Amino acid sequence: MPKTDLADLSTETLSQQKKSLAQTSIGLAAAMVVACTILFYLILKNKNYALIAVIPACMLSLIPSFLRLGQINAELKLRKKRQNTQPLS
């Protein structure tokens, strides 16, 4: 997927991306929490403590989606601020 500049996208497109990315990120994070909880249980049950390092590594895969969500939120906030500060003529 080619990286697009957020300034080139319309506000409606950004809002749609924000909603979609937020839903996907939350769903994936919830699934990862469940998977990591099961993994943690199995680690303790089998006494294979070396696998504990896998849990934080799994959570690191969520960082790009939350960073992109933050960028979209910042762009939407910037546009709202610009819209409110434009003088009426």
Side-chain angles (χ1 to χ4, degrees), residues 10-82:
S10 68
T11 304
E12 294 82 25
T13 304
L14 284 175
S15 296
Q16 288 174 344
Q17 281 187 2
K18 175 184 172 184
K19 182 179 178 183
S20 174
L21 188 58
Q23 290 173 347
T24 304
S25 297
I26 290 171
L28 186 59
M32 284 190 132
V33 166
V34 170
C36 288
T37 303
I38 293 170
L39 179 63
F40 189 69
Y41 169 74
L42 292 173
I43 288 169
L44 293 179
K45 181 180 175 189
N46 296 327
K47 296 182 179 161
N48 191 358
Y49 301 112
L51 288 176
I52 288 180
V54 172
I55 294 173
C58 290
M59 294 300 171
L60 286 176
S61 66
L62 293 173
I63 289 175
S65 62
F66 285 113
L67 286 176
R68 182 68 173 180
L69 189 59
Q71 290 172 345
I72 291 172
N73 284 335
E75 180 67 25
L76 287 171
K77 191 180 289 187
L78 179 67
R79 288 183 185 192
K80 187 175 182 179
K81 185 178 179 181
R82 281 188 200 154

